[in-house]
């Protein structure tokens, strides 16, 4: 049985459905701090869980006799920067509780890291898998601490912990909440609705991005990889695209020729974006477990715009 925290979030809402498809509906216990009327709640076991509640976390894991914990519950970068103490409590308190469940029940363990785990002093182009990590955001501190803690639980207690440093993830199922890279998702939606978007991230600001299907595939591929091949564990650089707002706009114009991009830079999120890499080196993930994304900016844009149209029609 697989227990997923943050199951109603941007990654969780798609990962749960994919895991249920692969392993059976009853094999994935979806949890989140609130309940919603959606297919994750209706298609298999769902429990309300605040990951800061260690006792409840442990009792749920025992009740379902889980053998894998996928811990996604967290505050993303912009929200964390606005509420740093809350972010520490949720992001680190939740992670420690999740790792303790994994240790006590000897489960396999996954939690995402992020390009946010790198800071201003990190080489920006083709950021290496192993390099300096001194992020200057609370989210980044949480992600670096999380990577170190997950490696510690592997070295010290033998917990099979694995992680991915995700870039900005683009998806149409569930909108991200409180991230810095969310502008790219918003741009696709507003391109469809208004044929225009005002970006809070400035022109020329490059960040790594990836389409959600590639992210979901990477999680499953990593978790199924032969552990004897893994030189790294927490966490692998993975990315598919390095792009700035104008690159997304150009790709969108292939489908919506009169799309207009303007800028109204938000200093807080611009500062976070500028502290992150422009592009990361994913060779370790390719060499150790065969990471290979399928979508580039053009194919992602085509699929995103088609799926957003479909969604609008279905919801109409
Ligand atoms: C964020 N989407 O913006 C997340 C992610 C690399 C970005 O960590 O905070």
């Amino acid at each position: 049985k697989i227990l997923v925290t943050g199951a109603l979030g941007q990654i969780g809402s798609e990962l749960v459905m994919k895991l249920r498809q692969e392993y059976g509906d009853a094999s994935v216990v979806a949890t989140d701090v609130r309940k919603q009327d959606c297919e994750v709640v209706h298609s298999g076991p769902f429990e309300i869980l605040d990951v800061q509640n260690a006792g409840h976390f442990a009792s749920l894991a025992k009740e379902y006799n889980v053998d894998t914990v996928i811990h996604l519950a967290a505050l993303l970068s912009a929200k964390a920067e606005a509420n740093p103490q809350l972010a520490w409590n949720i992001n680190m308190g939740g992670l420690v509780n999740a790792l303790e469940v994994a240790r006590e029940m000897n489960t396999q363990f996954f939690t995402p890291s992020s390009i946010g785990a790198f800071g201003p002093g990190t080489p920006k182009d083709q950021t290496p898998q192993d390099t300096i990590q001194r992020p200057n955001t609370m989210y980044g501190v949480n992600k670096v601490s999380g990577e170190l803690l997950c490696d510690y639980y592997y070295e010290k207690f033998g917990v099979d912990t694995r992680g991915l440093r995700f870039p900005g993830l683009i998806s149409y199922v569930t909108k991200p909440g409180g991230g810095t890279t969310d502008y790219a998702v918003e741009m696709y939606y507003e391109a469809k609705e208004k044929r225009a978007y005002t970006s809070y991230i400035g022109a020329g600001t490059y960040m790594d991005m990836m389409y959600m299907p590639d992210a979901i595939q990477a999680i499953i591929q990593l978790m199924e990889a032969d552990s004897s091949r893994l030189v790294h564990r927490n966490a692998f650089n993975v990315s598919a695209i390095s792009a700035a707002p104008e690159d997304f706009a150009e790709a969108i114009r292939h489908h919506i020729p009169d799309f207009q991009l303007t800028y109204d830079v938000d200093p807080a999120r611009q500062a976070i974006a500028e502290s992150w890499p422009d592009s990361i080196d994913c060779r370790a993930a390719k060499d150790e477990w065969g990471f290979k994304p399928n979508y580039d900016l053009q194919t992602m844009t085509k699929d995103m715009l088609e799926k957003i149209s479909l969604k609008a029609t279905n919801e109409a």
Side-chain angles (χ1 to χ4, degrees):
K1 280 246 186 354
I2 302 168
L3 187 147
V4 179
T5 70
L8 301 184
Q10 185 194 13
I11 300 173
S13 57
E14 297 199 47
L15 180 61
V16 165
M17 299 313 293
K18 182 73 179 170
L19 291 172
R20 283 178 174 162
Q21 192 185 3
E22 297 256 323
Y23 305 116
D25 289 347
S27 66
V28 183
V29 183
T31 73
D32 207 301
V33 72
R34 73 227 184 279
K35 196 165 192 172
Q36 266 175 1
D37 182 15
C38 62
E39 58 176 352
V40 165
V41 170
H42 297 309
S43 65
F46 178 86
E47 299 282 351
I48 291 188
L49 170 65
D50 178 341
V51 293
Q52 298 175 89
N53 184 330
H56 188 209
F57 203 153
S59 63
L60 272 183
K62 288 189 183 75
E63 179 190 339
Y64 285 95
N65 190 25
V66 301
D67 57 27
T68 303
V69 173
I70 296 185
H71 180 58
L72 305 176
L75 291 192
L76 293 184
S77 57
K79 202 173 280 184
E81 208 52 32
N83 311 278
Q85 290 76 15
L86 176 65
W88 179 269
N89 293 339
I90 293 175
N91 293 351
M92 302 319 295
L95 178 61
V96 169
N97 292 342
L99 283 165
E100 275 299 284
V101 164
R103 181 180 64 78
E104 282 163 11
M105 298 186 66
N106 195 26
T107 75
Q108 202 182 18
F109 187 85
F110 175 86
T111 199
S113 180
S114 161
I115 58 172
F118 297 116
T122 304
K124 282 213 175 297
D125 293 316
Q126 287 302 299
T127 302
Q129 173 66 42
D130 301 304
T131 184
I132 184 168
Q133 293 178 258
R134 292 190 66 79
N136 59 358
T137 63
M138 173 52 83
Y139 182 73
V141 168
N142 298 157
K143 289 301 174 186
V144 173
S145 311
E147 290 186 7
L148 296 172
L149 204 55
C150 290
D151 276 346
Y152 176 82
Y153 267 71
Y154 171 68
E155 301 293 340
K156 178 93 175 180
F157 303 117
V159 179
D160 182 2
T161 58
R162 306 181 188 195
L164 297 172
R165 288 174 188 147
F166 276 136
L169 297 181
I170 310 295
S171 65
Y172 57 85
V173 175
T174 305
K175 289 188 179 175
T180 298
T181 59
D182 301 0
Y183 84 86
V185 177
E186 291 170 5
M187 195 186 301
Y188 284 115
Y189 276 93
E190 297 197 18
K192 269 288 170 196
E193 287 152 24
K194 305 180 198 162
R195 316 177 87 75
Y197 178 67
T198 302
S199 173
Y200 59 75
I201 293 292
T205 310
Y206 280 85
M207 286 189 271
D208 282 281
M209 302 279 184
M210 186 152 74
Y211 202 24
M212 186 60 80
D214 282 334
I216 301 300
Q217 177 182 283
I219 293 172
I220 293 173
Q221 220 173 330
L222 171 62
M223 294 305 272
E224 291 183 345
D226 173 357
S227 61
S228 66
R229 284 184 61 195
L230 300 182
V231 174
H232 298 84
R233 281 178 169 272
N234 303 286
F236 287 91
N237 287 3
V238 286
S239 178
I241 299 155
S242 167
E246 61 271 25
D247 300 314
F248 284 97
E250 190 189 334
I252 287 169
R253 282 194 201 101
H254 287 316
H255 306 272
I256 305 172
D258 60 341
F259 173 70
Q260 290 295 320
L261 173 63
T262 53
Y263 296 93
D264 178 10
V265 175
D266 165 19
R269 285 178 288 184
Q270 183 64 24
I272 293 173
E274 286 175 2
S275 75
W276 291 353
D278 292 346
S279 65
I280 60 175
D281 177 341
C282 306
R283 272 175 298 176
K286 292 185 170 78
D287 296 346
E288 297 176 36
W289 49 273
F291 168 64
K292 186 181 177 312
N294 297 310
Y295 289 87
D296 62 18
L297 182 56
Q298 304 313 325
T299 50
M300 173 175 76
T301 299
K302 182 174 183 298
D303 198 61
M304 266 298 275
L305 294 173
E306 282 169 3
K307 295 293 194 319
I308 290 171
S309 297
L310 268 177
K311 219 177 144 181
T313 330
N314 296 343
E315 281 162 4

